[in-house]
Amino acid sequence: MSQRFKDIDYIDLLLWLFRAVIIIIVIWGTVAKIFLGRGNAYTADDWIDFFVSGLSQGSLYALIALGYTLVYGVLFMINFAHGEFFMSGTMTATVFVALPLSASGFLDEHPIIGMLAIMLTAMLISIGVAVLTERVAYRPLRRAPRLVPLITAIGASFFWQYFFRGLYGSSLVPFPELAVLQGKYNLFGIEILKTRAVVVVASVVMLVGLYFFVMRTKTGKAIRAVAEDKDVAALMGIDVDRTIAITFATGAAMAGAAGVLYGLVFRQVHFFMGFVPGIKAFTAAVLGGIGSIPGAALGGLFLGVIEAVGPPLFLEGLGIPGGHQLKDVIAFTMLVLVLIFRPQGIIGERLAEKKA
Amino acid sequence: MPLLDAIKVTKRFGGLTAVNNLSFSIEKGAIVSIIGPNGAGKTTFFNCITGFYQIDEGDIVFDGRSAKGRSPDQITRMGISRTYQNIRLFAHMTALENILVGMEPRLHSTWLGAIFGLRSTLQEEERALDEARELLNFVGLTGKGDWLAKSLPYGDQRRLEIARALASKPKLLLLDEPTAGMNPRETAHTTTFIKQLRDELGITILLIEHDMRVVMGISEDITVLDYGEKIAKGTPVEIQNNPRVIEAYLGRGAAASATIEVAS
Amino acid sequence: MAQLDVRDAIRKGLLAGVIALGLSVIGMVEAFDQRDVITDVFSLGQLLLFAAPAVVGFLVVKGRDIRAYGPALISGALAGVFAAIPIFLLLMLTLIYPGLRAQLVNVSPTLIGILTFGSGQIVGGLLLTAVMGVLGLVGATTHVIPDRISDPLVLGVGWTLLIGVLSEVLLNILRPLLPRGVLRFLFGTKGITLVTAVILLVLITVGIAWWRAQGRERYQKRIAARSAVQVANARRTSLGAGLLLLLVLPFILGTYLTEVVDNVGLYVLMGLGLNIVVGFAGLLDLGYVAFFAIGAYMMGILTSQGDLGVGGISFWLALPICVATSTIAGIILGTPVLRMRGDYLAIVTLGFGEIIRVLATSDLLKPVIGGAQGILQIPKPEIFGFTILQPQHFYYVILASVFLALFISSRLRDSRLGRQWMSLREDEDVAEAMGIHLVKTKLLAFGIGAAFSGLAGAIFAARLSSIFPHSFNLLISINVLSLIIVGGMGSLPGVVVGALVLVGLPELLREFAEYRLLLYGALLIAMMLRKPDGLWPSPVRRRELKAEEQEKLMMQAEGLE
Amino acid sequence: MKRTFLFVLLITLFALVLSACGGQALECEDALGCVEVAPDDPIIIASALVITGPNEQLGLDSQYGVEIAIDFYGDVLGHEVQLQPEDDGCSAEGGQTSAQKIVSNPQIVGVIGTSCSGAGVPASKIVSDAGYIMISPSNTSPALTDPETHEAGYLRTAHNDKVQGRAMAEYAYNVLGVRKAAAIHDGDPYTEGLASVFRDSFTELGGEIVAFEAEAPDATNVEPLLTTVAAAGPEFIYYPVFVSLGGLITKTARDIDALDGVYLAAADGVQSPDFLEAAGSAAEGMYVSGPDLSFTNETYDRFLSTYQEKYGTEPLSVFHAHAFDATTLLLKAIEEVAQEGDDGTLLIGRQALRDKLFATSGYQGITGTLTCNEYGDCADPKIAVSEVKDGAFEAIWP
């Protein structure tokens, strides 16, 4: 199927031109930066900083992207409201748990218990919001035309955003800083902010955990069965509605956890915090190959890193002013580039087969 | 010279060879069947002919011209059209519109003509509509032209798919299991209908079919595939008595039916 | 079935109560309390708050179809009382823990004042419970008493309240027509006066009762008695009247409402364009705002009298150039996504939209298109020495564009290209096998869709006289997509209806902008649950029958198309 | 049908009676027309401020200022003053729509607004074309009072960006003595304008701008940005952005070793309690430029206590005083130009009002001495630099 366009030479030519232009721009910029030293002079430490901060941002994207990927794998719908699941848990946990705990000094005395409490609250609220959304806005529409659930998802996204804005107000809420996580770790001579390191490690643990959950446990198998074929799964005695709800809950739990990690790194939360990371995570999920868990992880990390490293590397090399402003342009251009080469994403495979 | 001549066609998917070194030809005006167990590569071969898949080796010559490397729309324009094993109508369009889409290769009006309401465009549309109504009549769907394709009964959907395929005035018609899911009465009706197509319209027909009564009843020539290879070729009588065919069907009948088709 | 189901009543009552509580704690009740429905008597906030028990009282009885008075009234009252419980609990919580506002910012003294009728948490809470119980009772009663009486009454109350809510719009229309004294008699500072409300209620109730009792039958008889010629004449007359209404609309609506209609018109224009891409060809495009931006910026650059203007040409000369540029952009951005399907297409187009917006903001393109400072001094269009200045003037430009777009859309929909697009939407592979040239068909969809959007953008720029990159955000793409799906995918009248509902209605709630998107979201969900095919789905085109037969059918059928 | 007819008749009669009562002898001779305020009718003024969305604190703060000003001023010639608040949405479309809504009501005398310059551009055109007058408390974009682009009915009591950007540059160069500075903006016209003015002024003073960077306003990961800036080796970073990004940059900057000892500075976009809370201890020692609020007059003290009492909060932003002055200016001008009829009817000439306002000179407001020039700049441009000390802004310069 992928060769269907072979005869249309001028389109291929155009696409190749497109790829070539992007690649040449990137390479030219990089060469100009590294060998001709245009723009700022960065030290090796600076580059490590770029990379590590990108990596931690990317691992957050990856955690959120999981929700998109899981839901897409099962329902073939873009759950636009996923970013709001991420926000709702974090906001609630911050306002009702983190701030009081921090004010009473408990958080600094027992940081691990405190963080677990915050994270648990965030996950529970996210799950609650997700399950409610699924029940009200998605389940009745499972047989409707494909775009209809997309619109209810958009509706749910707006609804939750402004619902939580109404609850907690529109101002920024500072996330408490943990005394134990101040400062930096020294890893093989590389200085890394403790919060960033914690985020990366926690994300990896959760990603691996989720992978095993989906691949090894009974519930995970049910999720995969439903993803494969809902009707057959139902015949096999799997409760499809419940499994789909569990899928949403799993994705939301990851998002809730990601939200707390977000709070740790960026130290402020607000009602609009779900939107941009949500879109980025969705991009990451597609980049990696939507429907694939390792794909989401890879896509997220790639996106985070390219956003951080791209501007100083090739945009500066090209002499473009205000490069960091353009990181979204880089992210989306990379997405287009990857999808032109591999329309099914970096790891995505199943989907392509299914549609053939 | 045969109408269609496939020369040593090979198609691989990764490590799997779905069609292997297959040579096959049809004379003009013939009704030819391809049979074989599930997963034998029949539909894949159809997809190779119609340009859905690009073949890895060999060549396909249609009407004196090579069809290799052409896209499906070009192949349709050369004069081959097809139906699908699992009916693929345009579900949310009416029966009539489905046929009109089938007429595509023969229409020439442009979108600008449509916007400005040029007389030539309107006339062409009118002619096309008339012809589509005739085709509806021909396949026995009179009065159902304004039904959405998805709301037609199953048998009608099969017929509509054939009408859509006929609309391009093909020289060669590929039918992928045209009687699948039909009751014996419908099957008999369809069999007659296929014959009628060839006799009245002079269209050459290539058929994939599981129902042996249909195959044996109308085919003049049968090719048997197994594991992507041709294992037999001949008249119905010859095939019925061919030991390799019997083995292929009965020997691993149970196992074969569980195998998943490579591609739909 | 006339059974008293206590558990059901309690469950539904609590659910309604949770909704009422939600509306209260997110601040909607308080904010909407600012607007009176009936001046100094009843506010929109109270309407929000008290709708829950009344509706649930009705639903509880209706759900079980309880017709006997006793059980019905008890269930209604029970549901009403339980609807008050969540709020009552909140009130108690504020007694125990007065610092709640540190977490939930909208649990303010004002809100508590509204909830308790200003009489303290405990007394007020009980009062609220009683009121809600009574309202539940009232809701239940409407189901029990004969429909003949209850229906007109319910509708009368409903319409009166609606008119009260929309009083600002009415005031805007009536202001030039009626003397100020009359206006002051009819309308209070906010909302309608009590006198007006009572008059309206009586008029509407009586009117509906009469209609139900006699009028409808008479009307239907008259309709049935009409001859074919009369029907055709009536059709023509109503069509003519409709057109005339469209032409004089700005004079009726006044400046501000015409401004709103202009906005709706621009969205209709964009909706028609996206409808070709998504509705006809099935290509999910989430970055449609890109072409809107390109049209607007092109207009800015070509006509601006400021430093950034390069052309200095007239609006009318620039317009086709803007449209052409957008079309070309549509084709260029369409090329890389030719092979992508469904959701891959969605995210990539979303990316394109963002890329265009970020580039417009960026320092990189600042020398050309002004970066953050945008383009200023875009002149208003002139025609024969007359400057198109007011929203009323722009209305006609937009109306003409919408008609043009409607015309092109409908011609294309019924053409060969339209069929190609739809077959593409239904099954891309088979469409290709039918001999359809995918590349050409897809690029035509992207190009024509982009052209409409570019046209809208160009008018937008001239209308605002200035453009800033922030105007071209993702929200616009989402809005346009939502309106075509809410209207009904692929349906041309659906686009208009969708734009009216999703762009026009929210404008009426301008002062509650913080809750506008919340309501918008809820509206999207509710509408999709109720009508997944849209408000005005595209009808099936009947074409098998020949022209004469068709006309006969048309005569018989009242519907459009 | 009969009933409807009766009702219409009733209303018409009523109307006739009412209009017959209102016989008046005042004649309007104003070039732009007049607003006629009937006896017992209120004088209506409108506001078009950003009262929703991410920048709502800016607009709400101003609106409170307007409301307090109306309270303080009391009745104008025996007429109550009523405010019709509109939302400018901080965008061009929002400015356009709210302005259209305002000019569709002929009873509205004048407008306080807009909050954001982006909204001000189309709004000033509509308001001016309709013959109305608007005074903005917080538009700071130079374009609005530029001789080439100024609209006839537009004034403002806020300072021009040119003043504030320059003030910070002077403070950095002259007081702090830094020679290498960096500036960051977020693509908003306000922040980009300020950053540009700062860059130009600083260079003019003889300093060097080592980095002029931009970031998306909704960015989360600003570490790469700051690493880039740090690599350029500035001694001073100016980021006149809003609270969210401002808080992120402030906190992240403290984590970057290379930025130890580098001065951080922002502008009035972050001068709010919200920012102090969000940035926490990281904000300690940073500089913030903004209008000089260290007014030492009685009115401002009374204003502040009223504000606190009425809205239960410290001022949310910095332009409440400018809104107060703008409103008072407008009301005073109305009082002066209005013709009074025998029965209390007022006739307010729109051109006369315009002339009066543009002729304002030496007016003692709480933001200083206001004098309007022909392009509508009325502010007494006093800019102060504050330092964050112990979680509060403390004015330190001049």
Side-chain angles (χ1 to χ4, degrees):
Chain A
M1 198 69 40
S2 61
Q3 294 167 316
R4 286 181 311 127
F5 282 84
K6 193 154 202 173
D7 59 312
I8 307 149
D9 293 321
Y10 67 97
I11 288 297
D12 264 345
L13 205 71
L14 262 175
L15 290 184
W16 273 109
L17 204 70
F18 187 81
R19 291 173 227 197
V21 167
I22 295 179
I23 291 170
I24 288 171
I25 287 177
V26 170
I27 292 178
W28 184 21
T30 312
V31 168
K33 177 80 219 174
I34 295 176
F35 295 104
L36 307 178
R38 287 176 65 171
N40 291 317
Y42 295 116
T43 60
D45 278 350
D46 288 338
W47 288 114
I48 290 168
D49 270 353
F50 285 130
F51 189 77
V52 171
S53 75
L55 212 57
S56 72
Q57 173 80 22
S59 48
L60 288 178
Y61 288 157
L63 281 181
I64 310 171
L66 283 177
Y68 281 104
T69 266
L70 280 173
V71 168
Y72 192 87
V74 172
L75 283 181
F76 296 103
M77 72 166 276
I78 306 172
N79 178 19
F80 231 90
H82 190 67
E84 282 13 284
F85 302 166
F86 162 80
M87 174 274 294
S88 58
T90 317
M91 281 293 281
T92 310
T94 309
V95 170
F96 279 107
V97 184
L99 288 180
L101 284 188
S102 162
S104 67
F106 181 88
L107 199 58
D108 281 330
E109 283 166 37
H110 311 281
I112 295 186
I113 302 174
M115 277 313 289
L116 282 180
I118 296 169
M119 209 165 239
L120 207 65
T121 317
M123 288 163 103
L124 284 178
I125 296 292
S126 291
I127 289 174
V129 169
V131 170
L132 190 65
T133 310
E134 195 271 331
R135 181 71 192 79
V136 173
Y138 301 158
R139 191 179 296 178
L141 292 170
R142 218 166 274 160
R143 305 253 168 219
R146 218 175 51 90
L147 282 184
V148 170
L150 176 73
I151 296 298
T152 53
I154 289 172
S157 171
F158 284 137
F159 180 83
W160 287 123
Q161 239 174 57
Y162 286 86
F163 183 84
F164 281 94
R165 176 188 190 279
L167 278 186
Y168 306 128
S170 61
S171 46
L172 284 173
V173 181
F175 193 89
E177 298 183 26
L178 266 71
V180 267
L181 289 181
Q182 300 292 317
K184 298 180 175 185
Y185 290 121
N186 195 321
L187 274 169
F188 316 114
I190 302 167
E191 299 245 297
I192 297 175
L193 281 174
K194 284 184 181 174
T195 47
R196 300 228 177 240
V198 166
V199 166
V200 175
V201 171
S203 307
V204 170
V205 169
M206 275 190 275
L207 282 166
V208 172
L210 183 78
Y211 190 75
F212 279 101
F213 170 73
V214 172
M215 288 303 170
R216 295 286 157 82
T217 63
K218 203 171 158 225
T219 321
K221 279 182 186 147
I223 290 177
R224 280 186 297 144
V226 171
E228 213 52 56
D229 191 322
K230 279 187 259 314
D231 298 328
V232 173
L235 286 177
M236 303 304 230
I238 294 172
D239 184 341
V240 174
D241 280 345
R242 200 171 145 259
T243 310
I244 289 176
I246 290 176
T247 313
F248 271 89
T250 314
M254 291 290 142
V260 176
L261 297 178
Y262 175 102
L264 271 183
V265 181
F266 301 120
R267 287 162 284 175
Q268 59 188 36
V269 296
H270 59 121
F271 80 98
F272 206 63
M273 67 186 266
F275 193 70
V276 175
I279 287 189
K280 289 292 175 57
F282 176 35
T283 311
V286 173
L287 197 60
I290 197 161
S292 145
I293 293 174
L298 201 65
L301 293 177
F302 177 76
L303 201 64
V305 170
I306 197 81
E307 276 185 2
V309 177
L313 188 61
F314 45 83
L315 289 190
E316 244 178 62
L318 291 168
I320 289 173
H324 288 282
Q325 194 180 22
L326 298 174
K327 60 173 175 252
D328 287 6
V329 175
I330 298 177
F332 287 115
T333 313
M334 286 301 145
L335 175 78
V336 176
L337 194 67
V338 167
L339 289 186
I340 290 178
F341 275 116
R342 284 184 65 84
Q344 69 276 38
I346 301 175
I347 307 190
E349 204 86 67
R350 238 195 47 223
L351 179 76
E353 279 171 30
K354 220 165 192 162
K355 291 223 164 165
Chain B
M1 190 186 73
L3 181 65
L4 178 87
D5 201 0
I7 306 152
K8 296 188 174 170
V9 171
T10 300
K11 173 73 197 169
R12 297 187 197 92
F13 293 101
L16 180 81
T17 307
V19 176
N20 192 6
N21 207 20
L22 179 68
S23 291
F24 176 91
S25 66
I26 314 174
E27 292 303 321
K28 205 169 240 163
I31 297 182
V32 177
S33 294
I34 298 178
I35 61 170
N38 281 328
K42 304 179 301 269
T43 300
T44 308
F45 183 54
F46 260 34
N47 284 338
C48 291
I49 298 176
T50 48
F52 273 79
Y53 295 156
Q54 294 301 320
I55 55 177
D56 295 317
E57 281 165 35
D59 194 6
I60 294 174
V61 179
F62 178 75
D63 216 9
R65 287 187 291 163
S66 172
K68 189 179 174 180
R70 292 179 194 264
S71 65
D73 64 308
Q74 289 173 322
I75 287 181
T76 308
R77 283 166 199 279
M78 288 171 75
I80 302 179
S81 57
R82 69 173 291 187
T83 66
Y84 300 82
Q85 187 180 353
N86 47 343
I87 303 174
R88 289 175 82 170
L89 287 165
F90 303 122
H92 294 90
M93 296 170 79
T94 64
L96 204 68
E97 282 169 340
N98 266 280
I99 297 179
L100 285 170
V101 173
M103 235 171 256
E104 267 309 307
R106 299 192 290 127
L107 299 179
H108 305 286
S109 65
T110 63
W111 58 281
L112 283 171
I115 291 178
F116 294 114
L118 295 186
R119 182 183 285 178
S120 60
T121 306
L122 295 177
Q123 280 171 345
E124 187 187 271
E125 274 291 286
E126 205 45 53
R127 273 201 307 274
L129 262 175
D130 280 337
E131 230 177 283
R133 290 190 194 106
E134 269 168 39
L135 266 173
L136 267 182
N137 249 329
F138 182 73
V139 298
L141 289 176
T142 316
K144 290 180 180 167
D146 292 333
W147 289 35
L148 288 186
K150 62 170 184 177
S151 48
L152 286 172
Y154 185 78
D156 287 353
Q157 290 195 9
R158 284 266 175 224
R159 267 194 281 275
L160 178 59
E161 214 184 16
I162 294 176
R164 184 179 66 182
L166 289 176
S168 64
K169 291 240 164 100
K171 297 184 185 122
L172 173 66
L173 180 62
L174 311 186
L175 300 173
D176 198 342
E177 301 197 22
T179 65
M182 288 188 173
N183 61 33
R185 205 173 54 84
E186 283 175 328
T187 304
H189 185 260
T190 307
T191 314
T192 332
F193 178 65
I194 292 172
K195 241 187 187 134
Q196 203 184 341
L197 283 181
R198 196 262 311 261
D199 298 344
E200 288 182 15
L201 304 176
I203 298 170
T204 313
I205 287 167
L206 173 59
L207 199 68
I208 293 177
E209 191 50 77
H210 274 298
D211 190 327
M212 284 306 143
R213 270 170 305 178
V214 179
V215 174
M216 299 304 162
I218 57 173
S219 315
E220 283 137 21
D221 188 78
I222 298 173
T223 298
V224 188
L225 294 190
D226 194 20
Y227 287 121
E229 287 182 52
K230 181 159 77 177
I231 57 170
K233 178 182 178 322
T235 62
V237 184
E238 288 166 5
I239 293 299
Q240 272 165 333
N241 298 321
N242 188 317
R244 281 194 69 186
V245 177
I246 295 168
E247 189 210 307
Y249 267 91
L250 299 180
R252 329 178 313 262
S257 62
T259 316
I260 299 158
E261 285 270 295
V262 171
S264 50
Chain C
M1 286 301 277
Q3 283 299 329
L4 179 62
D5 189 339
V6 176
R7 201 184 288 170
D8 180 63
I10 292 178
R11 217 186 57 226
K12 285 184 181 154
L14 281 178
L15 189 65
V18 169
I19 292 173
L21 176 72
L23 292 175
S24 306
V25 292
I26 63 172
M28 264 176 97
V29 169
E30 187 185 337
F32 281 50
D33 200 53
Q34 302 289 320
R35 189 194 271 195
D36 282 355
V37 178
I38 301 167
T39 312
D40 296 337
V41 178
F42 192 60
S43 76
L44 194 56
Q46 283 166 322
L47 179 63
L48 272 187
L49 188 60
F50 294 124
V55 169
V56 81
F58 175 71
L59 287 181
V60 160
V61 182
K62 194 182 176 207
R64 304 265 149 188
D65 200 21
I66 308 174
R67 284 286 176 183
Y69 273 97
L73 297 189
I74 294 173
S75 336
L78 204 62
V81 167
F82 272 88
I85 298 253
I87 293 181
F88 190 77
L89 290 178
L90 174 78
L91 291 176
M92 295 306 111
L93 185 64
T94 56
L95 266 189
I96 304 164
Y97 176 52
L100 189 63
R101 202 179 173 188
Q103 273 87 36
L104 301 176
V105 290
N106 277 309
V107 184
S108 63
T110 325
L111 174 72
I112 291 170
I114 298 167
L115 294 177
T116 57
F117 308 97
S119 48
Q121 272 95 328
I122 294 177
V123 180
L126 293 174
L127 202 60
L128 181 81
T129 314
V131 169
M132 286 199 159
V134 170
L135 283 169
L137 202 76
V138 171
T141 320
T142 53
H143 185 70
V144 186
I145 58 174
D147 290 349
R148 188 158 49 82
I149 302 167
S150 69
D151 272 11
L153 208 59
V154 169
L155 284 171
V157 172
W159 277 103
T160 309
L161 292 178
L162 188 69
I163 291 173
V165 173
L166 299 183
S167 60
E168 210 179 337
V169 178
L170 284 176
L171 192 60
N172 250 310
I173 296 175
L174 294 178
R175 193 179 280 131
L177 302 178
L178 295 176
R180 223 183 301 154
V182 180
L183 288 177
R184 225 181 320 154
F185 173 71
L186 293 176
F187 298 97
T189 39
K190 297 162 180 170
I192 51 178
T193 54
L194 187 58
V195 187
T196 322
V198 172
I199 296 174
L200 276 175
L201 180 63
V202 171
L203 278 179
I204 295 171
T205 309
V206 171
I208 290 174
W210 176 81
W211 172 255
R212 288 279 157 93
Q214 299 180 1
R216 181 157 45 184
E217 228 166 274
R218 266 193 230 172
Y219 177 74
Q220 278 165 350
K221 251 183 228 157
R222 259 215 334 254
I223 291 284
R226 287 191 308 182
S227 71
V229 180
Q230 272 174 321
V231 173
N233 277 341
R235 270 180 74 93
R236 221 167 293 146
T237 321
S238 51
L239 204 70
L243 267 179
L244 197 71
L245 183 71
L246 275 182
L247 283 179
V248 298
L249 199 63
F251 298 103
I252 302 173
L253 292 180
T255 317
Y256 166 58
L257 287 176
T258 310
E259 174 79 17
V260 175
V261 173
D262 285 0
N263 254 333
V264 173
L266 285 184
Y267 271 96
V268 170
L269 207 51
M270 282 194 274
L272 287 172
L274 190 63
N275 188 45
I276 286 180
V277 183
V278 181
F280 290 171
L283 304 162
L284 182 50
D285 187 341
L286 287 181
Y288 193 59
V289 69
F291 312 118
F292 183 64
I294 288 169
Y297 267 102
M298 207 59 204
M299 179 55 82
I301 292 171
L302 287 176
T303 64
S304 170
Q305 290 157 346
D307 302 336
L308 292 166
V310 292
I313 57 177
S314 85
F315 171 82
W316 303 104
L317 208 60
L319 203 57
I321 304 179
C322 297
V323 173
T325 317
S326 303
T327 313
I328 294 167
I331 292 171
I332 291 175
L333 292 189
T335 310
V337 300
L338 280 173
R339 285 178 197 168
M340 296 172 197
R341 293 186 182 196
D343 309 302
Y344 290 87
L345 185 64
I347 185 66
V348 170
T349 47
L350 188 150
F352 282 146
E354 288 294 281
I355 288 177
I356 298 282
R357 183 183 63 81
V358 173
L359 282 180
T361 322
S362 70
D363 288 356
L364 175 61
L365 294 180
K366 186 172 162 67
V368 190
I369 57 173
Q373 304 297 340
I375 301 182
L376 307 181
Q377 289 182 282
I378 302 169
K380 302 277 180 186
E382 278 182 27
I383 187 162
F384 307 125
F386 175 80
T387 312
I388 296 178
L389 194 69
Q390 297 280 321
Q392 281 99 325
H393 308 155
F394 270 103
Y395 173 83
Y396 293 102
V397 178
I398 293 169
L399 189 70
S401 311
V402 166
F403 268 115
L404 180 71
L406 270 173
F407 175 76
I408 293 178
S409 289
S410 74
R411 276 281 169 93
L412 288 180
R413 178 195 56 192
D414 300 341
S415 75
R416 183 177 157 220
L417 183 59
R419 281 197 305 273
Q420 292 177 337
W421 283 335
M422 282 172 217
S423 61
L424 200 69
R425 176 188 74 194
E426 297 293 319
D427 192 328
E428 195 173 313
D429 299 329
V430 179
E432 194 185 10
M434 293 291 130
I436 289 171
H437 198 293
L438 289 188
V439 175
K440 195 176 144 201
T441 314
K442 282 188 176 182
L443 290 184
L444 269 174
F446 282 124
I448 296 173
F452 289 1
S453 188
L455 179 63
I459 298 174
F460 175 84
R463 200 164 71 105
L464 249 59
S465 295
S466 55
I467 36 178
F468 297 95
H470 296 274
S471 303
F472 307 103
N473 50 32
L474 182 61
L475 200 62
I476 294 188
S477 300
I478 289 179
N479 238 329
V480 178
L481 181 69
S482 303
L483 76 88
I484 65 171
I485 291 171
V486 164
M489 272 250 287
S491 152
L492 301 183
V495 173
V496 181
V497 173
L500 278 174
V501 171
L502 292 189
V503 184
L505 273 189
E507 195 58 47
L508 303 178
L509 298 172
R510 253 192 94 71
E511 63 203 88
F512 308 120
E514 11 184 346
Y515 300 102
R516 204 154 56 157
L517 282 170
L518 183 134
L519 292 172
Y520 182 86
L523 186 75
L524 281 185
I525 298 175
M527 210 124 45
M528 288 293 98
L529 289 179
R530 297 276 306 170
K531 283 187 165 274
D533 289 330
L535 294 174
W536 192 321
S538 63
V540 176
R541 244 167 82 74
R542 313 211 162 273
R543 301 215 294 179
E544 189 189 357
L545 302 169
K546 292 249 177 180
E548 317 83 77
E549 297 165 283
Q550 209 169 339
E551 219 150 80
K552 214 188 276 169
L553 263 181
M554 291 270 276
M555 291 293 205
Q556 286 163 8
E558 271 263 303
L560 276 152
E561 308 248 347
Chain D
M1 281 305 258
K2 222 173 234 168
R3 261 170 253 249
T4 326
F5 176 72
L6 265 176
F7 177 64
V8 171
L9 196 76
L10 209 77
I11 287 189
T12 321
L13 269 176
F14 188 75
L16 283 175
V17 172
L18 271 182
S19 47
C21 295
Q24 231 342 288
L26 281 178
E27 286 274 323
C28 176
E29 284 159 1
D30 196 272
L32 291 173
C34 300
V35 183
E36 191 189 321
V37 184
D40 303 333
D41 262 10
I43 294 172
I44 306 173
I45 64 173
S47 67
L49 301 161
V50 51
I51 46 180
T52 62
N55 301 317
E56 65 177 23
Q57 311 231 325
L58 172 68
L60 282 175
D61 180 61
S62 301
Q63 189 175 316
Y64 295 160
V66 175
E67 286 168 9
I68 294 174
I70 293 175
D71 278 0
F72 278 18
Y73 201 93
D75 288 358
V76 174
L77 300 171
H79 289 258
E80 183 199 343
V81 177
Q82 196 181 318
L83 178 72
Q84 178 180 327
E86 296 292 341
D87 184 4
D88 81 1
C90 208
S91 65
E93 310 87 271
Q96 163 109 354
T97 315
S98 55
Q100 289 291 7
K101 188 168 179 188
I102 287 166
V103 301
S104 74
N105 186 348
Q107 286 307 112
I108 290 175
V109 186
V111 188
I112 304 297
T114 56
S115 286
C116 301
S117 300
V121 173
S124 67
K125 176 148 184 64
I126 291 166
V127 166
S128 303
D129 287 350
Y132 287 47
I133 189 92
M134 70 187 274
I135 312 174
S136 166
S138 63
N139 289 167
T140 54
S141 163
L144 283 163
T145 51
D146 188 281
E148 263 187 45
T149 46
H150 173 250
E151 296 288 344
Y154 179 85
L155 302 105
R156 67 175 165 205
T157 53
H159 53 79
N160 196 314
D161 274 346
K162 285 181 178 161
V163 187
Q164 187 179 175
R166 180 157 187 94
M168 192 44 112
E170 278 169 3
Y171 181 75
Y173 191 88
N174 296 334
V175 182
L176 296 177
V178 296
R179 293 295 175 265
K180 283 177 169 181
I184 302 170
H185 70 86
D186 72 355
D188 185 89
Y190 156 80
T191 68
E192 202 264 356
L194 269 181
S196 299
V197 173
F198 173 80
R199 174 188 58 193
D200 299 345
S201 309
F202 194 74
T203 321
E204 210 174 280
L205 288 168
E208 187 195 354
I209 293 290
V210 291
F212 190 78
E213 274 292 339
E215 179 60 280
D218 46 17
T220 49
N221 188 11
V222 295
E223 201 183 328
L225 166 80
L226 289 174
T227 310
T228 298
V229 171
E235 302 161 74
F236 181 92
I237 305 177
Y238 187 49
Y239 46 101
V241 296
F242 294 105
V243 175
S244 170
L245 187 60
L248 267 177
I249 292 182
T250 311
K251 285 188 272 195
T252 312
R254 301 297 185 204
D255 287 339
I256 294 179
D257 296 337
L259 291 180
D260 273 352
V262 173
Y263 298 110
L264 301 182
D268 45 18
V270 300
Q271 208 169 351
S272 76
D274 223 24
F275 172 74
L276 292 176
E277 201 185 326
S281 58
E284 284 298 311
M286 75 178 284
Y287 301 105
V288 176
S289 67
D292 191 348
L293 294 185
S294 55
F295 320 117
T296 45
N297 54 51
E298 206 182 311
T299 323
Y300 191 57
D301 295 340
R302 192 151 69 93
F303 176 91
L304 280 184
S305 60
T306 313
Y307 195 112
Q308 181 80 41
E309 196 179 305
K310 200 167 170 180
Y311 306 108
T313 166
E314 295 280 312
L316 299 165
S317 181
V318 289
F319 288 107
H320 47 267
H322 299 80
F324 181 92
D325 277 353
T327 315
T328 315
L329 264 185
L330 178 64
L331 296 178
K332 202 163 85 58
I334 292 172
E335 183 153 20
E336 282 168 21
V337 302
Q339 296 169 262
E340 223 176 339
D342 311 330
D343 60 348
T345 306
L346 290 188
L347 214 52
I348 305 163
R350 292 199 181 278
Q351 183 64 51
L353 188 63
R354 228 178 236 192
D355 295 343
K356 188 91 217 162
L357 279 169
F358 276 93
T360 302
S361 175
Y363 169 74
Q364 290 298 323
I366 52 177
T367 59
T369 310
L370 304 184
T371 302
C372 299
N373 71 10
E374 54 183 317
Y375 303 116
D377 259 331
C378 301
D380 182 358
K382 281 197 286 196
I383 295 295
V385 172
S386 322
E387 188 181 349
V388 179
K389 277 185 190 157
D390 302 325
F393 296 106
E394 197 182 310
I396 49 166
W397 182 84

